Amino acid sequence: MTSHKTTVQTMKPATAAKKLGVYLEATPAEFQEGVVSRNELNALQADPPEWLSTLRRTGPHPRPVVAAKLGVSIAGLARGGVTDPLTTEEIDALKEENPDWLVRERTTQAEVRKEAVRIKQKHSDRADRTDQTPGARS
């Protein structure tokens, strides 16, 4: 059985907010209380209304967005004691303050990314060697 994406599919507001990258509790009541169709979600992404543009610009932002803006993981946010949504202003203030936990978590995140690249390269090199081995299947 295959799953086809249709225009009649709907999602909960929490799912739609996650896909839009906004904090659900900061969205208008009519968004929070309804359901969102795939067409409505596509329309919101293509031509965001003022409330969505404002939320994306100033927040409050959900944890994944806060983590990305700070260059850390979601777990790193928790280790740093950041458990609530933050506004863009609060994120900028944290960047300016640059507390020890943020420096530490950014360093950790950079190391994780470097390791991921190293592993990807290792797998790629291994695949290249396998492809060049006589008798190897393509």
Side-chain angles (χ1 to χ4, degrees):
M1 179 157 89
T2 60
S3 173
H4 295 286
K5 294 181 179 177
T6 65
T7 56
V8 294
Q9 284 182 322
T10 59
M11 61 194 81
K12 295 177 182 177
T15 303
K18 186 174 181 179
K19 289 179 181 285
L20 293 169
V22 296
Y23 182 56
L24 177 63
E25 284 75 11
T27 62
E30 58 271 9
F31 181 86
Q32 293 180 39
E33 295 163 0
V35 293
V36 180
S37 72
R38 190 164 295 281
N39 271 352
E40 290 169 331
L41 179 69
N42 291 339
L44 286 169
Q45 289 172 324
D47 186 23
E50 185 58 34
W51 66 264
L52 181 53
S53 296
T54 301
L55 270 180
R56 286 177 167 170
R57 188 174 49 256
T58 63
H61 302 288
R63 285 181 304 162
V65 174
V66 173
K69 286 180 179 276
L70 290 173
V72 300
S73 66
I74 293 172
L77 282 179
R79 285 189 293 269
V82 178
T83 56
D84 295 328
L86 299 178
T87 64
T88 301
E89 190 175 294
E90 292 168 325
I91 293 168
D92 291 343
L94 258 177
K95 285 179 179 178
E96 194 169 308
E97 180 185 324
N98 208 21
D100 290 342
W101 72 264
L102 183 55
V103 172
R104 196 171 43 253
E105 291 301 333
R106 282 180 166 170
T107 302
T108 300
Q109 191 68 8
E111 290 169 4
V112 167
R113 286 187 189 117
K114 252 192 263 180
E115 181 65 6
V117 168
R118 187 191 69 78
I119 290 170
K120 186 176 181 180
Q121 185 62 47
K122 181 179 175 181
H123 288 294
S124 177
D125 291 348
R126 187 176 295 155
D128 289 346
R129 283 194 306 272
T130 303
D131 289 345
Q132 295 171 0
T133 305
R137 293 185 232 175
S138 14

